Structures are given as C-alpha cells and as structure tokens.
Amino acid sequence: MIETSPSSVDVVLPCLDEAEALPWVLERIPPGWRAIVVDNGSTDGSPDIAHDLGAYVVGEPRRGFGAACHAGLTAATADVVCFCDCDASLDPGLLPTVAGPVLDGAADLVLGRRRPTARGAWPLPARLANLQLARLVRRRTGLRLHDLGPMRAARREALLALGLTDRRSGYPLQMVVRAADAGWRVAETDVPYRPRTGRSKVTGTWRGTWQTVRDMRAVLAERPSAAPAVGAGPAGGVR
C-alpha cells in the first residue's frame, strides 16, 4: 500500500487509459512519497485501479497533458513535487535520483534525460524532433539541455509562482522556459527510457503530433516572463 499522507514528496502522474501500466508504476513509487494520479477522462477503469492501489486520485475533465499536470500540482501539498508519465516508460523508483538535487538545495529544477533501453522505446523521428526542440530552447534560454523529458522535480510553491498557463502539450516546455527566465538552476540526469505500455495519445497520432508542435511553437514565441527567481546559483545553469 502506498502512503498517501503525510509525504515528503508528491509524485504527479497524468493518466489517460493507463489501466495496464498503473500496477507496475504505482508499486515503484518510493516509500513515504505520495502518488497523485490525475485522471484525464479515462474509460478503462484507471481511476478505480489507482485508488485501489493506494494512490490519491484527482479528476481533471479538461483534456490535455498540461491540464492534468497542473491539476496534480495544485492538488499537491508536499514541498517538492515530481512529475512522471504513467505509461511505464519511466521507472518511478528512480525519482529519488531526480529529486535529490532539489531536496538538497543544489538545483531548482531537475529533468530526467531519457536514455532508450530497447529498440522502439523512442522512435527516431521523435528523438530527432526532441533534439531540434532542445536546440531551440538553447537559443531561447541559453540552457544547454539534451532532452525535455517528462520526469522532473522542483519545489511546489516555486512552480506555482511561474504562473504556467499552457494546458496542452506545451506545459513541460513552458515550465523550462519560464524557469530559465526566472534564473533557476536547471540540471539534467540520465534515466532509462523503456517501451511504453499502450499507444501514445500525443505523438502516436498525426493530430497529436501537429498539436504538440503548435503548442511548443507558441511557448517559444512567448516574451520572457517576470516570475521570481528562486535559485542561489548562476542563472540558466545546467548541470
């Protein structure tokens, strides 16, 4: 049984029809950390499965990856919040490695740099698109990132202060861009990337891919925000 309260870290897991992956994902949540499963309109019984496995379940009727992530962030109460996909492509058991620098005060935002473990885990077109996006982020922010992976950690109040507004595929990118604008210390750490369970709802469809590109272009076109700085180190640093 996963503890639900109190927790030292909350783990936000956006969920849309992930009944097959949920047992594996939830059993790997670190002890003492709380899993917040945000159901984004599942029709396969995912919310009931998550609840039965001890997760705290939040419903977000507005469709969109960003909507689910932000609903989880606003439901969180722990000082540090992690985000992780709920499709078993990433191992929540590795979250302490991602959250460690935030908990220790060495970084303000840590991203898990995905490292494919098997053929097909990360199709070549998606990898190439991710590399190009990283280049555009470097041009826009100065951050020398390799990946904008969905596994990440930061402090809850600081994230809320960023005033994130995207509620679709641009949410993870907007978090990084606004963090850089605010002078956050941003770090990367390698995490294994497994073949996902089930079909992708975003890059697995032409409509999803087109929407993702449009959302991210809009984020990159934003003017620098005035969110308050939280880091004590050099602005825009990547470890």
Side-chain angles (χ1 to χ4, degrees):
M1 180 67 69
I2 298 170
E3 294 183 21
T4 57
S5 181
S7 62
S8 56
V9 178
D10 282 336
V11 182
V12 175
L13 299 160
C15 176
L16 176 59
D17 293 332
E18 302 291 2
E20 186 178 352
L22 274 168
W24 186 90
V25 170
L26 292 176
E27 72 179 4
R28 302 186 70 81
I29 298 294
W33 293 22
R34 181 174 66 154
I36 302 178
V37 173
V38 184
D39 182 64
N40 203 208
S42 297
T43 59
D44 66 349
S46 288
D48 291 337
I49 293 172
H51 181 269
D52 291 344
L53 291 171
Y56 178 60
V57 179
V58 175
E60 173 50 69
R62 180 178 176 181
R63 282 292 183 92
F65 182 76
C69 287
H70 204 72
L73 175 61
T74 56
T77 57
D79 182 38
V80 172
V81 176
C82 294
F83 297 85
C84 184
D85 280 353
C86 202
D87 57 11
S89 61
L90 295 163
D91 183 355
L94 299 176
L95 281 170
T97 300
V98 178
V102 177
L103 290 164
D104 294 341
D108 303 308
L109 173 64
V110 180
L111 308 177
R113 180 185 181 184
R114 291 170 288 184
R115 295 293 199 174
T117 61
R119 184 183 299 273
W122 200 1
L124 182 60
R127 293 176 66 178
L128 293 175
N130 187 72
L131 286 173
Q132 177 61 18
L133 180 60
R135 294 189 188 100
L136 294 174
V137 170
R138 185 180 306 173
R139 184 183 306 167
R140 165 66 173 76
T141 67
L143 293 175
R144 299 184 64 84
L145 296 172
H146 301 87
D147 185 19
L148 295 174
M151 180 179 275
R152 52 186 60 192
R155 296 196 178 274
R156 177 177 56 85
E157 290 187 1
L159 282 172
L160 291 171
L162 290 178
L164 302 176
T165 56
D166 191 284
R167 293 296 181 266
R168 293 187 301 213
S169 301
Y171 188 88
L173 174 61
Q174 189 179 55
M175 183 186 297
V176 172
V177 169
R178 293 198 176 183
D181 289 346
W184 287 27
R185 297 162 298 168
V186 182
E188 283 187 325
T189 187
D190 289 355
V191 294
Y193 194 49
R194 302 155 32 95
R196 62 160 290 137
T197 299
R199 183 177 66 88
S200 171
K201 289 80 174 177
V202 180
T203 55
T205 66
W206 283 109
R207 179 179 179 182
T209 300
W210 175 81
Q211 186 66 66
T212 298
V213 170
R214 192 177 76 166
D215 291 346
M216 290 187 173
R217 282 179 175 171
V219 170
L220 289 170
E222 288 182 355
R223 298 174 64 87
S225 65
V230 299
V238 176
R239 296 173 183 265

